[in-house]
Amino acid sequence: MKHDPIATYAFPPGGLPGQDCDPSAGTAIFTEAYAVIPAAVMRDIVTSFLPGWTGHRVWILARPMTGFAETFAQYAVELSPGGGSNEPEPDPDAQGVIFVTHGEMRLTLGRDWYDLTAGSYAYIPPSAVWNIWNTGEVPAGFHWIRKRWAPIPGMLPPEAFVTHEAAVNRTPMPDCDAKWSTQRFTDPFDLRHDMHVNIVSIESAGRIPFAETHVMEHGLYVLSGTARYLLNRDWVEVGPGDFMWLRAFCPQACIATGDETFRYLLYKDVNRHVTLAL
């Protein structure tokens, strides 16, 4: 089923800035507690290519790093017309979420297939048999978040599902006058899921009104809008296509700026005991 997108979604711009661009004005940041990778630095020279894929390029935005964020990897994948893969995931223990930003593609999961457009969302469990191909005449793009599923004795992994953000209600956070809301694509009480990938929306002048700190790691890709975002001790200006990468317990807060709703794709690890082995 096709859906009309209810919004536009940022994606790495590629290309290269001109020689008149001042590199000293860049806003990329990497600290012991967080990183900010601005859209302006997601250019052609930082892309990668993956085995088993054709007609593609990938921006790898996050990967597990000892002493930093250790649970997930986050990609932005661009497919040329006809590009894709019949064997996209090399790790049988890895689960994934795909969120489409632009273009048309077909996702096959087992014996089922789905035509995806901007705003489509798919959860892919570990050991799933799947493939994905650009079926349109222009480039297509999607965000791909990967995490190894942490098994629980007697519990099977979650089932695969495909939906669209237009089919998922925004749930307002308490006591915020509906200025701060979350679209939850999985049931928070379903303990089979050990990662959540949601969309958070904050209306203009809305805010996260306190400095959160928690054990969950985050990847935050800004889909639209602008904000001042507190990361550890620093207030950072962010906008469409910027990526924030937070380790556990990094304080964070947010104030949306501008006239457009500030929206981001959010990863966090959930629903498991802390591993005590080092």
Side-chain angles (χ1 to χ4, degrees):
M1 179 181 297
K2 291 189 175 182
H3 296 265
D4 292 330
I6 63 175
T8 57
Y9 311 99
F11 193 78
L16 287 174
Q19 288 293 298
D20 57 347
C21 185
D22 180 5
S24 68
T27 56
I29 306 168
F30 189 86
T31 74
E32 74 284 353
Y34 73 89
V36 177
I37 305 176
V41 304
M42 298 182 198
R43 300 295 185 166
D44 294 354
I45 61 172
V46 296
T47 55
S48 298
F49 302 99
L50 300 175
W53 290 71
T54 186
H56 76 294
R57 59 178 179 173
V58 180
W59 287 266
I60 298 178
L61 304 177
R63 51 163 290 183
M65 291 178 60
T66 300
F68 194 68
E70 300 181 340
T71 60
F72 75 108
Q74 186 157 345
Y75 301 175
V77 182
E78 183 181 79
L79 299 179
S80 301
S85 178
N86 279 324
E87 297 181 348
E89 176 55 73
D91 187 340
D93 296 325
Q95 61 192 319
V97 163
I98 284 173
F99 182 78
V100 179
T101 60
H102 60 283
E104 299 177 355
M105 57 194 78
R106 176 163 291 183
L107 170 69
T108 302
L109 271 167
R111 296 181 180 180
D112 299 322
W113 55 267
Y114 306 87
D115 286 328
L116 308 183
T117 57
S120 293
Y121 180 110
Y123 171 77
I124 303 170
S127 299
V129 177
W130 62 286
N131 64 62
I132 191 166
W133 293 94
N134 181 350
T135 54
E137 298 180 355
V138 296
F142 62 94
H143 297 290
W144 181 17
I145 298 171
R146 303 170 60 227
K147 179 188 181 297
R148 281 188 171 176
W149 185 67
I152 297 176
M155 185 177 289
L156 296 175
E159 295 93 1
F161 69 87
V162 177
T163 185
H164 190 277
E165 78 137 317
V168 180
N169 291 330
R170 298 188 187 186
T171 302
M173 303 298 283
D175 302 319
C176 69
D177 299 323
K179 291 185 176 181
W180 172 23
S181 61
T182 301
Q183 288 167 278
R184 296 182 174 91
F185 292 85
T186 58
D187 180 355
F189 299 104
D190 185 347
L191 296 187
R192 295 175 302 168
H193 286 279
D194 64 359
M195 75 168 181
H196 290 167
V197 178
N198 302 324
I199 294 178
V200 176
S201 298
I202 304 176
E203 304 302 326
S204 180
R207 61 195 62 204
I208 298 175
F210 64 102
E212 301 180 38
T213 181
H214 47 62
V215 71
M216 286 85 79
E217 298 175 348
H218 279 345
L220 296 88
Y221 191 95
V222 180
L223 298 172
S224 63
T226 60
R228 294 179 60 231
Y229 214 99
L230 174 66
L231 298 167
N232 202 13
R233 303 180 182 90
D234 308 316
W235 284 94
V236 178
E237 304 285 342
V238 293
D242 293 346
F243 179 70
M244 292 170 278
W245 185 14
L246 284 63
R247 66 179 296 176
F249 299 108
C250 176
Q252 59 170 310
C254 176
I255 302 173
T257 57
D259 297 327
E260 186 178 7
T261 302
F262 179 62
R263 309 184 74 214
Y264 54 85
L265 190 69
L266 170 70
Y267 160 89
K268 59 181 177 180
D269 49 312
V270 295
N271 296 343
R272 293 296 185 269
H273 279 291
V274 173
T275 300
L276 299 180
L278 296 177

